[in-house]
């Protein structure tokens, strides 16, 4: 019999000590231990919250991404029962993010805004390989055509492909980047819109643009003047900066407009020249930007000697793979440009390119 188990009372004599909390002495160490446990549990809860992940994502430059969780159906509810953070656990496990629930049309949460002739079509085809991405089948020109924009967001949504909860809906219109008013219209729909911008060496881009126009003229049986004739003003022999085929190449000017509305961290810039050389690398970076698991694997890209470009290896019948290249209109042979004109264009773009690099904090080899 231990004396510690009994209490002595003058009248009642010895009686057993009650076992309740009231009579137990709790040591300071125990209290500290409990407090520490609660603090650790709260910390773990905070880390697993999607909002914590979103607000603290950093891009390659170490810059914090500023994401305003406005369109909630993109990122999903703050906590999904039985699921960890989709931006950490799922990526590590390489599992598609979406579950096959709640199939419906949604407004896009990510736009490919341009720039035309920098590889936007290739990027769309590549991203379609990702199970968590759905992309509108054609360019919708919603934000750059006033008459389309006036039809409203419900109209825009009605043009979107259906998506499951957790999938990202995207739309690509390569004219968005260089057309004014587009940026504030996008902002008015969703301030947290994510955007993908492809850029390419600006002179080659302009030549590619010219070839595209030439092809259109062919179909309307018009005779297209040469690139040099269109790009040089006959009156003064200077570059015609108003030529529509060159306008999208003024990246610095257009980017300034977009940055008035969106932080740079919301615009992912793709090196269009590298997309031709190493599509996997660029697509991998886009998956990262979108916070998606890396599911587009290197074996999806097969170089075609015939096409002279990478093509995709897509799923065919009975588990086989088929090679699919972009249409003949993509990857055309460019004409040789007059040396003097090339020099003038190089002089025109050199300072603008430098300003663009400074603005986005990144250099390209042009
Ligand atoms: P060129 O035809 O001048 O070579 P967009 O899709 O924005 O119109 O861009 C077209 C450009 O995409 C092509 O321009 C080509 O350089 C580039 N491109 C990138 N990857 C390609 C691929 N796998 N197949 C064909 N073209 C590709």
């Amino acid at each position: 019999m231990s004396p510690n188990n009994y209490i002595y009372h003058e009248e009642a004599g010895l009686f057993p000590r009650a076992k309740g909390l009231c009579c137990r002495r709790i040591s300071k160490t125990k209290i500290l231990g409990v407090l520490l446990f609660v603090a650790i549990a709260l910390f773990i809860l905070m880390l697993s919250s999607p909002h914590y992940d979103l607000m603290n994502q950093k891009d390659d430059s170490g810059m914090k991404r500023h994401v305003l969780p406005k369109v909630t159906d993109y990122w999903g509810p703050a906590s999904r029962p039985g699921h960890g953070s989709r931006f950490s656990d799922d990526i590590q496990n390489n599992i598609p993010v979406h579950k096959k629930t709640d199939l419906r049309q949604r407004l896009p949460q990510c736009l490919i805004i341009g720039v035309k002739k920098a590889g936007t079509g290739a990027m769309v085809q590549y991203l379609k390989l990702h199970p968590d991405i759905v992309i509108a089948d054609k360019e919708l020109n919603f934000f750059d055509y006033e008459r389309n924009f006036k039809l409203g967001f419900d109209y825009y949504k009605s043009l979107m492909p259906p998506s499951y909860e957790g999938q990202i809906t995207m739309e690509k219109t390569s004219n968005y980047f260089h057309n004014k008013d587009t940026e504030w219209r996008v902002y008015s729909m969703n301030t947290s819109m994510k955007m993908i911008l492809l850029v390419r060496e600006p002179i080659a881009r302009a030549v590619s643009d010219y070839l595209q126009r030439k092809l259109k003229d062919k179909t309307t049986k018009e005779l297209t003047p040469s690139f040099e004739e269109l790009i040089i003003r006959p009156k003064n022999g200077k570059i015609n900066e108003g030529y529509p085929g060159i306008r999208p190449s003024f990246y610095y000017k257009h980017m300034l407009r977009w940055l008035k509305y969106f932080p740079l961290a919301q615009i992912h810039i793709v090196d269009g020249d590298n997309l031709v050389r190493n599509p996997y690398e660029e697509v991998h970076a886009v998956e990262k930007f979108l916070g998606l698991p890396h599911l587009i694997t290197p074996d999806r890209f097969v170089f075609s000697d015939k096409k002279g470009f990478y093509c995709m290896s897509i799923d065919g019948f009975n588990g086989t793979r088929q090679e699919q290249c972009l249409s003949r209109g993509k990857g055309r042979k460019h004409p040789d440009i007059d040396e003097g004109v090339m020099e003038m264009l190089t002089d025109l773009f050199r300072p603008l390119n430098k300003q663009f690099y400074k603005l986005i904090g990144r250099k390209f080899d042009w």
Side-chain angles (χ1 to χ4, degrees):
M1 182 180 83
S2 159
N4 290 340
N5 292 339
Y6 290 83
I7 292 173
Y8 176 74
H9 191 272
E10 275 183 349
E11 283 164 16
L14 270 182
F15 65 93
R17 196 187 276 275
K19 285 192 172 167
L21 254 184
C22 63
C23 302
R24 227 184 250 165
R25 283 184 149 244
I26 301 170
S27 69
K28 275 185 190 166
T29 341
K30 273 188 185 162
I31 296 174
L32 277 176
V34 171
L35 284 177
L36 193 68
F37 175 77
V38 172
I40 292 172
L42 283 174
F43 182 66
I44 291 171
L45 267 177
M46 187 185 82
L47 284 187
S48 62
S49 149
H51 281 280
Y52 177 85
D53 283 347
L54 277 175
M55 293 310 192
N56 288 278
Q57 283 182 83
K58 289 182 180 176
D59 60 17
D60 290 341
S61 62
M63 189 186 292
K64 256 194 183 185
R65 277 193 209 153
H66 174 70
V67 183
L68 306 169
K70 190 183 171 193
V71 177
T72 46
D73 60 359
Y74 177 11
W75 305 113
S79 62
R80 285 198 269 154
H83 283 77
S85 157
R86 51 172 287 191
F87 295 100
S88 50
D89 311 14
D90 293 348
I91 287 172
Q92 281 156 22
N93 294 331
N94 247 6
I95 298 167
V97 167
H98 77 275
K99 290 185 289 174
K100 292 200 167 178
T101 54
D102 196 16
L103 183 69
R104 62 187 164 94
Q105 288 172 300
R106 292 170 164 86
L107 283 171
Q109 303 99 348
C110 176
L111 296 175
I112 299 179
I113 56 175
V115 59
K116 64 188 297 204
K117 309 317 296 172
T120 57
M123 183 54 86
V124 166
Q125 294 309 319
Y126 296 151
L127 291 182
K128 277 184 178 173
L129 295 171
H130 201 293
D132 293 323
I133 296 178
V134 287
I135 310 187
D137 272 340
K138 54 177 188 152
E139 301 206 352
L140 297 173
N141 292 98
F142 177 72
F143 296 104
D144 56 332
Y145 281 16
E146 194 180 6
R147 64 168 187 274
N148 287 344
F149 185 69
K150 275 185 173 168
L151 295 173
F153 299 139
D154 280 343
Y155 159 78
Y156 187 40
K157 190 158 87 176
S158 75
L159 304 175
M160 292 300 150
S163 61
Y164 290 110
E165 181 197 349
Q167 282 185 314
I168 295 177
T169 303
M170 290 177 66
E171 195 252 323
K172 183 268 269 197
T173 293
S174 49
N175 282 339
Y176 284 160
F177 179 62
H178 66 276
N179 278 312
K180 70 174 177 59
D181 294 332
T182 311
E183 64 292 337
W184 70 257
R185 288 180 185 147
V186 173
Y187 187 82
S188 74
M189 188 181 90
N190 184 1
T191 58
S192 59
M193 182 69 83
K194 287 196 166 195
M195 280 148 298
I196 296 171
L197 169 71
L198 291 95
V199 291
R200 174 185 183 182
E201 190 281 304
I203 304 173
R205 198 221 61 79
V207 174
S208 181
D209 207 324
Y210 159 78
L211 289 177
Q212 171 92 6
R213 282 161 204 275
K214 192 172 166 178
L215 190 85
K216 274 192 190 156
D217 291 351
K218 239 187 190 172
T219 54
T220 54
K221 293 200 165 48
E222 281 175 42
L223 209 63
T224 319
S226 69
F227 178 74
E228 291 84 345
E229 282 172 299
L230 288 168
I231 207 79
I232 302 292
R233 285 185 193 279
K235 273 187 195 164
N236 56 13
K238 288 189 177 166
I239 301 283
N240 176 8
E241 292 180 31
Y243 169 58
I246 203 178
R247 238 170 26 88
S249 291
F250 295 121
Y251 305 146
Y252 172 67
K253 190 177 118 193
H254 305 307
M255 194 65 175
L256 275 180
R257 279 199 343 266
W258 285 85
L259 291 181
K260 276 189 191 152
Y261 287 87
F262 295 98
L264 184 59
Q266 259 169 259
I267 307 175
H268 175 74
I269 299 173
V270 174
D271 180 342
D273 297 297
N274 192 42
L275 184 73
V276 173
R277 293 187 299 263
N278 190 347
Y280 172 70
E281 198 173 276
E282 294 298 331
V283 167
H284 192 83
V286 169
E287 287 177 322
K288 188 177 169 203
F289 170 68
L290 295 174
L292 291 175
H294 296 298
L295 296 178
I296 307 177
T297 44
D299 58 309
R300 291 291 195 168
F301 305 94
V302 220
F303 190 79
S304 159
D305 288 326
K306 193 173 161 212
K307 172 93 180 160
F309 281 87
Y310 273 92
C311 297
M312 286 168 298
S313 170
I314 59 156
D315 296 327
F317 291 111
N318 302 327
T320 56
R321 286 279 185 92
Q322 282 172 4
E323 195 176 288
Q324 195 181 76
C325 300
L326 262 67
S327 66
R328 281 202 301 149
K330 309 276 181 189
R332 293 191 197 101
K333 194 178 165 354
H334 288 198
D336 291 331
I337 305 297
D338 176 88
E339 267 181 37
V341 173
M342 271 309 265
E343 233 169 79
M344 286 166 79
L345 284 168
T346 309
D347 289 346
L348 171 74
F349 278 110
R350 196 179 297 111
L352 295 172
N353 293 344
K354 272 192 185 162
Q355 281 176 299
F356 179 62
Y357 301 157
K358 209 171 158 196
L359 189 64
I360 61 165
R362 179 176 165 189
K363 275 188 179 171
F364 293 91
D365 51 9
W366 24 269

